[in-house]
Amino acid sequence: MSPVPLLPGVRSASVDTDRIRMHYLESGPADAVPILMVHGNLSTGRFFEHLMPELPQYRVIAPDMRGFGDSEPAPVDATRGLGDWADDLAALTRALRIDRPPHLVGWSTAGAAIARYAMDRPVASLTFLDPVPPYGYGGVRADGTPCFPDFAGSGGGTVEREIVRRIAAGDDSAESPFSIRNVLNTFYFAPTHRELPEREDLLVAEILKTVTGDANYPGDSTASPNWPGMAPGTSGLINALSPKYCDWTGLVDLDPKPPVLWTHGSADLVVADGSPLELGTLGASGAVPGWPGPDVFPPQPMVTQIQEVLERYADAGGVVRTEIFDGAGHGPHLDSREKWLAVFAEFLTSV
């Protein structure tokens, strides 16, 4: 655990589930309505810690997912999409004797995980927090069809290797654009936001617990004859996010349909129409040579894809509330904390 003390009212524990050993934070009464807050890529449950004391009437649980934080560094089977994460969450609820459908919050990567959970099990509600697009991340056109049959341009090979190297080396400096401290401040928050120094140090230390390699972050890669020369492998988290394996459009067919809250930062650079981290955008900008052009590999309209699928969900009888936080980044629960918390608390009381 980090040496930074937990906030008052927040507890830390670990439990052996029937799948893996999981570490989690918890607050509130054990018999209260449960909320599972699930972090995304390169983060841990402590990215939700600041919210937990503000929801005292709920049992709030923020686990560390496999390969992150203080949970077991188990491998990720990418061919299941986010199925490993969804099944781990279900195993955690069994281990903690949660006997009622939980409210689920999924940030970024975990948006696909909570959708997968809901497609297999009852939930009280779903809160998508700047989620990965419903067709997966990278290598797809607006309608979700792949740019190439092998889904080239997505998966573990698309991750900047210097970031992986610096995480593995425990680099907590700000000496390089690829140092995780600078990645945190560039891509997690709005440009105008900066965490307090102690809090920033904590979040950097939590990210540096990430297990790197082919089985976890970012995963393996497969050579491809298609631009940009790599296609997804079969293991690791970023491959699990590839459109080859990640698809949560099946949410539209759920019956019954849990209420949905979609919250998004308007200045998000990670999940965006034209994200600078996505190969279509990078190719169009000239940053990656050889781009075959917009007819073959267009920038992925990620936010538009989320909106379209959730509109279909609503048209099919689901209740969807959308809140776009002006100026917020990839983590509006961090850089627009009070506004996000007010929207979330109101949503919970309405379902």
Side-chain angles (χ1 to χ4, degrees):
M1 283 293 295
S2 167
V4 178
L6 292 169
L7 294 174
V10 180
R11 307 178 293 277
S12 168
S14 293
V15 64
D16 287 315
T17 75
D18 52 36
R19 287 177 55 81
I20 63 170
R21 183 166 182 78
M22 296 187 73
H23 171 260
Y24 61 96
L25 301 183
E26 184 175 16
S27 65
D31 60 351
V33 173
I35 301 173
L36 267 63
M37 293 186 162
V38 191
H39 68 80
N41 180 33
L42 297 182
S43 54
T44 70
R46 291 201 79 169
F47 279 71
F48 291 113
E49 178 190 358
H50 61 297
L51 305 176
M52 298 172 74
E54 306 302 319
L55 297 162
Q57 69 273 45
Y58 297 96
R59 183 184 186 185
V60 185
I61 298 164
D64 294 342
M65 303 310 290
R66 61 172 60 204
F68 293 100
D70 296 304
S71 286
E72 183 179 337
V76 174
D77 179 356
T79 67
R80 304 188 65 227
L82 272 293
D84 276 344
W85 276 31
D87 290 351
D88 289 346
L89 290 172
L92 179 63
T93 65
R94 290 192 295 271
L96 298 182
R97 303 183 186 279
I98 295 173
D99 58 3
R100 66 178 92 179
H103 296 278
L104 297 181
V105 178
W107 178 29
S108 194
T109 292
I114 66 168
R116 179 70 265 170
Y117 185 108
M119 284 187 267
D120 295 332
R121 307 164 185 90
V123 300
S125 72
L126 295 170
T127 295
F128 292 108
L129 180 50
D130 293 61
V132 63
Y135 301 107
Y137 200 100
V140 289
R141 300 182 178 90
D143 63 359
T145 57
C147 299
F148 296 110
D150 63 354
F151 295 85
S154 68
T158 65
V159 173
E160 170 58 56
R161 294 292 134 172
E162 183 63 8
I163 293 177
V164 181
R165 187 191 73 79
R166 287 180 176 270
I167 291 173
D171 172 26
D172 65 358
S173 75
E175 69 178 23
S176 163
F178 304 116
S179 297
I180 205 63
R181 186 178 298 274
N182 289 328
V183 172
L184 174 75
N185 284 305
T186 301
F187 291 105
Y188 289 50
F189 313 132
T192 55
H193 179 82
R194 194 74 184 242
E195 293 283 315
L196 295 173
E198 182 183 66
R199 175 74 175 168
E200 180 178 302
D201 289 347
L202 166 64
L203 298 182
V204 168
E206 289 294 296
I207 296 172
L208 290 176
K209 294 176 180 179
T210 300
V211 179
T212 58
D214 285 352
N216 293 99
Y217 176 81
D220 62 350
S221 182
T222 303
S224 172
N226 301 309
W227 184 85
M230 84 285 286
T234 60
S235 63
L237 187 62
I238 306 304
N239 288 314
L241 293 174
S242 164
K244 185 173 183 179
Y245 311 118
C246 179
D247 182 343
W248 53 270
T249 59
L251 199 72
V252 172
D253 299 322
L254 278 185
D255 184 19
K257 289 178 167 58
V260 167
L261 171 64
W262 172 33
T263 62
H264 198 86
S266 69
D268 187 355
L269 296 177
V270 179
V271 176
D273 289 356
S275 167
L277 300 181
E278 184 267 328
L279 265 295
T281 303
L282 289 169
S285 72
V288 180
W291 181 55
D295 292 339
V296 176
F297 204 117
Q300 183 180 355
M302 301 181 185
V303 175
T304 300
Q305 289 174 334
I306 297 168
Q307 182 179 17
E308 185 268 335
V309 167
L310 291 181
E311 285 176 351
R312 286 167 48 200
Y313 187 87
D315 289 344
V319 174
V320 178
R321 175 175 175 178
T322 299
E323 292 286 342
I324 306 298
F325 293 84
D326 187 40
H330 188 55
H333 64 304
L334 298 165
D335 61 19
S336 298
R337 170 186 171 275
E338 291 184 3
K339 291 181 180 179
W340 187 89
L341 190 60
V343 168
F344 179 60
E346 182 181 311
F347 171 70
L348 289 176
T349 61
S350 71
V351 300

